[in-house]
Structure formats: structure tokens, C-alpha cells
Amino acid sequence: MVKDFENKYALILGGSSGLGYASALKLAENGMNLIIFYRASRMQATEIETRFDIIRSFGIQLLTVNSDATREDKLDENLEKLKTFLKDQKLSLLLHSISKGNLKPMTGDSTLSANDFQQTIHSMGISLYSWTKALFEAHLFAKPAKILSFTSEGSTRPMKSYAAVSAAKATLEAMNRSIAIEFALHHITSNCIQAGVTDTLSLSMIPMYEELKEESLKRNPNGELTTPERVANVVYLMTREEASWINGSVIKVDGGESLQ
């Protein structure tokens, strides 16, 4: 049986849990070879390796790198790891799934600082361009290639203690539009996927996340939450050749939740 992405390669930034991991599973199931960057402590290592073993069971090539993908000073070192693994192969997909931000209020105790904003915007927004630029200049993108990243309704809808992440997501979407324009002639497209409220570890870190889930269930016409697997299905669709004319878009994957 020929798999859709056999002999193709993808780089996933943030692929040990949540949307990134679900996407990795879906892509591996369809033959995509993977490079996964993640950040984890030694205590988390056993559980994460068990997840990666599931990916390996699909018979694909897999490189996992426990490194902070947001660090500019590590970029050259990480590129060398990619080149060694890829040899003469190129990347058909860059999936940005980095969730590293400050969730603090703007008033009261322990409020957001300017540095909190800067770190969050860099990690969840600007790093998309840093990796795109580095991969492009290293000639590691295939022709054609796709860039996908995860945004949220919070880019335009304010929530308490979400200001820094909201700013980062707005930056991510701006980066996405500019990359779509400036890299199009190099056969590279860029799109954001806006998932509905999804019960992941990242969501659980948001203050009042239980209230968010309850509100989402009321707003969603299906009466259900978005799941990582539903989002991964759209990553799969967007990676297919048939989606090549979609560029610079924010694609909502929320079952209609944002309509209400």
C-alpha cells in the first residue's frame, strides 16, 4: 500500500504532546518521516519516549531532539542535526507548534512585564520566521513545501491573563501572511490553523480554563470540544498537494464554535 507522504520529511517544532504530537501521529501513519523538537525534563522522558515509540511503530524515520527550539543561539547547532539526518533529502513541511508563553494578568499581583511580552512574542510568533529563514537559507525546503502554524481565537478575542499569548498569536498571524507573500515564488506556502478550544496540557495552564471549556461547549453548535485528532486531520489535509493553492490563510478548525 502506497502511503500519501512516503519518502517525504517534516519538521515539527513542539511535537511531544497536544496538537503537535497528534499531527505527528497522523503524518507518520501516512508515511511522513519526522524530525521532532521538544522540550522536556528527565522526569518526563520515559512517558515521552513511549509516545515516540508509537510513532516509530509506523515504520518511518524519526529524529527527536530535546532542545529549546526558540533559542536563536542554538539554531545553527540544530540545523546541523537536521542536515545530518536528512542527508540529501528536503523538508516538505515545517509545522510550528510551540507553546511557550507567560500567562499572567495585567493588574493585581504578579502582573505581566515588558520582558514577559517579549519572551512570549518571540517564542510563539517570531520563532516561526527565524526557523523559516534558517531553513530557507540552508536550502532545506523541498519544492513545493508547506509551512503550518497553530494560532487561536485569542489572537483577536481578549481573555484575562492571556494578553502576552494574544499578542504572540497576532504576531504569528502577521508573520504567516508575510511569509506567504514573500516565499510564494520559491514554491513555499504558509497557513495558520485556528483550533477551537481543545483540552490539552497548554489549555490547562490558562487560568479559568474550566470556564473556557464550559463556554466553548455552549458556543459550539456540535456541543463538543475540538480534539487534537480533529486538528491533526486538517494538518494532514493541508499537507497534501491538493491544498497547494491555499496560502496566507487562517483556517478555522472548531466545528463552528467561533460563529457564536
Side-chain angles (χ1 to χ4, degrees), residues 14-60:
S16 62
S17 64
L19 303 183
Y21 178 72
S23 300
L25 273 180
K26 184 69 178 181
L27 294 170
E29 182 183 0
N30 286 276
M32 185 76 83
N33 300 301
L34 300 173
I35 304 163
I36 298 176
F37 276 75
Y38 68 104
R39 195 75 185 104
S41 65
R42 288 183 180 179
M43 292 180 62
Q44 299 168 309
T46 301
E47 181 183 352
I48 289 174
E49 274 304 313
T50 300
R51 293 183 204 147
F52 289 155
D53 283 342
I54 297 173
I55 293 175
R56 291 186 183 97
S57 71
F58 291 107
I60 58 125

Side-chain angles (χ1 to χ4, degrees), residues 10-212:
L11 168 61
I12 301 178
L13 305 177
S16 62
S17 64
L19 303 183
Y21 178 72
S23 300
L25 273 180
K26 184 69 178 181
L27 294 170
E29 182 183 0
N30 286 276
M32 185 76 83
N33 300 301
L34 300 173
I35 304 163
I36 298 176
F37 276 75
Y38 68 104
R39 195 75 185 104
S41 65
R42 288 183 180 179
M43 292 180 62
Q44 299 168 309
T46 301
E47 181 183 352
I48 289 174
E49 274 304 313
T50 300
R51 293 183 204 147
F52 289 155
D53 283 342
I54 297 173
I55 293 175
R56 291 186 183 97
S57 71
F58 291 107
I60 58 125
Q61 296 177 50
L62 173 66
L63 171 67
T64 61
V65 183
N66 188 358
S67 176
D68 187 347
T70 69
R71 286 182 55 175
E72 299 284 337
D73 61 330
K74 292 275 188 180
L75 204 47
D76 288 341
E77 176 186 327
N78 286 329
L79 279 177
E80 289 306 313
K81 293 176 182 177
L82 264 67
K83 291 175 183 177
T84 300
F85 176 75
L86 288 169
K87 297 178 182 176
D88 294 326
Q89 302 298 318
K90 305 291 184 180
L91 294 169
S92 296
L93 172 68
L94 165 62
L95 177 61
H96 186 283
S97 182
I98 294 174
S99 181
K100 181 184 177 184
N102 289 285
L103 294 163
K104 299 178 185 177
M106 300 180 100
T107 61
D109 299 327
S110 188
T111 56
L112 282 165
S113 67
N115 189 54
D116 289 331
F117 271 99
Q118 290 166 359
Q119 289 181 340
T120 305
I121 291 169
H122 173 78
S123 296
M124 300 180 74
I126 295 171
S127 65
L128 174 68
Y129 172 63
S130 296
W131 272 96
T132 298
K133 181 175 185 288
L135 294 171
F136 178 75
E137 292 181 348
H139 307 288
L140 292 180
F141 278 121
K143 289 186 178 181
K146 298 174 185 245
I147 298 169
L148 297 173
S149 54
F150 293 127
T151 187
S152 74
E153 191 180 14
S155 65
T156 57
R157 187 169 183 245
M159 291 185 287
K160 185 178 179 181
S161 301
Y162 200 74
V165 177
S166 180
K169 294 299 187 182
T171 300
L172 180 74
E173 291 179 19
M175 292 285 179
N176 170 64
R177 291 188 294 269
S178 293
I179 290 170
I181 290 174
E182 299 204 31
F183 287 84
L185 290 179
H186 299 284
H187 308 283
I188 299 171
T189 59
S190 181
N191 292 283
C192 287
I193 293 174
Q194 180 182 306
V197 172
T198 311
D199 198 358
T200 62
L201 178 62
S202 296
L203 179 72
S204 69
M205 294 180 179
I206 299 175
M208 299 165 53
Y209 88 101
E210 289 291 352
E211 289 88 339
L212 272 177

